[in-house]
Amino acid sequence: MALPSHAQIVVIGGGIIGCSTAYHLARDHKADVILLEQGKLTSGSTWHAAGLVGQLRSSASITRVLKYSVELYKGLEAETGLATGWKMTGCLRLATNQDRWTEYKRLATTAKSFGMDMQLVSPDEVKRMWPLMDTSDLVGASWLPTDGQASPSDITQSLAKGARMHGARLFENVRVTGFEMKDGRILKVKTDQGDIACDKVVNCAGQWARQVGAMAGINVPLQPVKHQYIITEKLPGLATDAPTLRDPDRRTYFKEEVGGLVMGGYEPNPQGWTTGDVPNDWEFRLFDDDFDHFEQHMVQAIERVPGLADVGVKQMINGPESFTPDGNFILGVAPECANMFVGAGFNAFGIASGGGAGWVLAQWVVDGEAPLDLWVVDIRRFSGLHRDRQWVSDRTLEAYGKHYTIGYPHEEYASGRPYIVSPLYERLKAHRAVFGSKLGWERPNWFAPEGMEAKDVYAMGRQNWFEPVGDEHKHVREAVGVFDQSSFAKYEMAGKDAQKALDFICANDVSKPAGRLTYTQLLNTRGGIEADLTVARLADNKFYIVTGTGFRTHDLAWIGDHIPSGLDARLVDVTEQFGTLSLMGPNARKVLEAVTDADVSNAAFPFGHVREIEIAGATVRALRVTYVGELGWELHVPIGATGEVFDALMAAGKPHGIRPVGYRALESLRLEKGYRAWGSDITPNDTPFEAGLGWAVKLRKDTDFLGRKPLEKLGNAPLTKRLACFTVDDKNVVLVGRETILRDGQPVGYLTSGGYGYTVGKNIGFGYVRNAGGVDDAFLTGGNYELVVAMERVPATIHLEPLFDPAATRVKA
């Protein structure tokens, strides 16, 4: 069959992700879709995948994606007539220590929050379910009965057949050689057999996705890693329906296959493959067996399943799998190219994710925006930092090595650091800062008092920074603190139509006169919150936009993509041009008055205003705004003058008790004040009205803006979910998010964020309460609440107002 000269959508890659995407594009959207595979279908990494299908992740949306895979695999054979090898055997995850057991109790709580039934079982029960296992060292196990296993090649062929049945055209042995592009868009896909004109391209090229992306100028930060497993001869006594087994404390996994076992693992010293290009002809190919490297898994596996010692190894598989720097896969539209979408980097979760990833990616391609909150896998979570191949390799190998380690709350990566430092790095180090890392930037999380080692000590309970952060928190409430927030993403929009563009993009009214600033959300076509940020008007035709560190690529691309065509509005990223010092606390004005001649009185410089003021010889953009619920300013300083301005603040602030404060205190301060965090409390799944942010939406103005129509449609209909605040009095309870909310004993939602409020002396959590019949104030306040924390029910109190308000009686809890 000759290659067509044009198509609506071209999918590149014939592994499970490409075939699933083509299937869903054809089935759900009746799209004119072509799939190109450079070798044979499944010949990249799909064919040698182990085929475990787990469903639970810490994101509700990603769990939904994985649950969808299971539902699809169950029914696919009936639709296409091709077997998938799907077996719902359930999965046991073993725990051999108390920290792991706490992790499972939290996971089981998360599972129930997401509507899945994960049970915790005793060692005796594990022995009954898997008699060939030594259970003498177990504390217990988690049991998810709906997990299972499948044959990767069979599922892919079944999806490919389904795609063809719905009208997709699949071509093997066609290699993509480049793209014809204009103005950052792909016009044609070039291949070794001719060019195909198209509207959109979906890059599902697996371990080649980075190279395919590079042909279009986009970055897909992947690192192929050698992943080994064995297939044994028949193991006497092994049941054909034996559950799949994950033994993370021994870093291994097992699944039954034809009477024998598939066994592999995630070692702490993984072997990366190339940081260069993956050879094009790597088709159905493996690396040589490496028994020396694999021996560490063999030793652990035999201790767990002693019978393995007497069974022959039928085959060893040593193949490359694509891994990413944070262990999450990559979906979405590339920021550098408006019509290339990516589905790659599945970190050995490709089979489990395949069905659901194809479903959401197809929807994303057709709509131009994600159908769910998929931020944790969005390609726009990366930045220029991720073009550094060595950094990507180092961080990816660290992430691989952590695949089965215990996931302690607030754990930081260690590799590739420090990468980006603010001008204050050495000064803050001298103040005994303990740094974390966000999108490559080193940021002070907390400051260790004298006599305490300046490092995090991870634990499942209260961690070593709990008391020092409490001191920082108290200090901001009572005196004044300075936060180094230089990592904030910062953009400028200029041009005679800048206001017009922002009027359309922003949900709040940014058309205020120069010198004013506005907190606003950016909404999608469903009315969901795609971003929240501040827009400061510096002049009639110039705006300064400030957003969170991690959202730099995402928010810049979202704004750029939605500037209405034909407008004179130029958007520029100026992040590295400004350091940011946030001066916060009741004494903030006294410190500022001592370092500038400008009038910073409340009358001259009210809340929500921006002024240029002089400090230490530098012209500083001062934004009167707060994320901590105290008097304060964000001071945006020319980057070269950041050190001098910091020194001036510290000197002038000495009589007023100034001290540097870290991000952990910022988090507890914002929880008390009820400020929402994007990515957890507010997401593309949530509207401003559900989030209690309706006051920031300009529905009263006769201005069309993105997301207005769906919000108007909702109109006066009762809300069926609302964000609320919960407190727990017991100080020993630790809230980390995703704890189930019970109202009168019934689950009604789960926490989106959790922490501790040092001023109110209580644990604080935020979460959406859901009720199909509506959630008005009477419903919210009319129930008795509990939170399920690591499978334990604890009494909780609901609050509809911020717990802390400095303008009123200060504390309301």
Side-chain angles (χ1 to χ4, degrees), residues 356-378:
W359 161 56
V360 292
L361 187 54
Q363 190 81 47
W364 204 332
V365 170
V366 170
D367 292 347
E369 67 182 35
L372 303 171
D373 169 25
L374 297 172
W375 168 240
V376 292
V377 296
D378 194 323

Side-chain angles (χ1 to χ4, degrees), residues 318-355:
N318 185 5
E321 294 267 7
S322 278
F323 284 80
T324 64
D326 62 4
N328 285 320
F329 47 87
I330 300 174
L331 291 181
V333 60
E336 308 95 334
C337 175
N339 62 341
M340 179 181 269
F341 293 77
V342 179
F346 279 83
N347 303 283
F349 275 110
I351 310 308
S353 317

Side-chain angles (χ1 to χ4, degrees), residues 289-358:
D289 297 345
D290 188 344
F291 279 103
D292 288 348
H293 192 72
F294 192 73
E295 186 185 15
Q296 55 189 309
H297 294 315
M298 208 69 219
V299 169
Q300 296 289 347
I302 288 169
E303 287 186 3
R304 178 61 68 217
V305 185
L308 270 178
D310 307 315
V311 172
V313 173
K314 201 158 54 174
Q315 192 181 6
M316 181 173 227
I317 305 284
N318 185 5
E321 294 267 7
S322 278
F323 284 80
T324 64
D326 62 4
N328 285 320
F329 47 87
I330 300 174
L331 291 181
V333 60
E336 308 95 334
C337 175
N339 62 341
M340 179 181 269
F341 293 77
V342 179
F346 279 83
N347 303 283
F349 275 110
I351 310 308
S353 317

Side-chain angles (χ1 to χ4, degrees), residues 767-779:
Y768 287 90
V769 175
R770 293 165 167 81
N771 178 43
V775 280
D776 58 10
D777 286 6
F779 177 84

Side-chain angles (χ1 to χ4, degrees), residues 179-181 184-189 198 201 216 337 339-340:
F179 301 99
E180 185 179 315
M181 301 187 66
R185 291 183 70 86
I186 295 168
L187 301 179
K188 289 181 179 176
V189 178
C198 61
V201 173
C337 175
N339 62 341
M340 179 181 269

Side-chain angles (χ1 to χ4, degrees), residues 636-678:
H636 293 255
V637 185
I639 195 88
T642 311
E644 287 76 8
V645 170
F646 175 80
D647 292 344
L649 291 171
M650 291 301 287
K654 207 167 187 184
H656 307 293
I658 198 168
R659 63 177 283 189
V661 180
Y663 272 82
R664 297 251 162 89
L666 190 75
E667 175 67 6
S668 68
L669 288 158
R670 75 98 187 165
L671 284 169
E672 286 186 341
K673 191 67 180 84
Y675 291 127
R676 282 72 166 134
W678 192 84

Side-chain angles (χ1 to χ4, degrees), residues 90-94 121 126 129-130 141-143 243-246:
C91 177
L92 283 167
R93 288 174 176 80
L94 310 181
V121 296
V126 173
M129 296 166 82
W130 233 94
S142 72
W143 166 241
T244 58
L245 204 60
R246 288 180 172 85

Side-chain angles (χ1 to χ4, degrees), residues 55-67 328-329 331 353 372-377:
Q55 299 164 85
L56 184 63
R57 299 295 280 269
S58 59
S59 151
S61 290
I62 302 305
T63 299
R64 192 174 154 195
V65 166
L66 299 180
K67 281 168 79 173
N328 285 320
F329 47 87
L331 291 181
S353 317
L372 303 171
D373 169 25
L374 297 172
W375 168 240
V376 292
V377 296

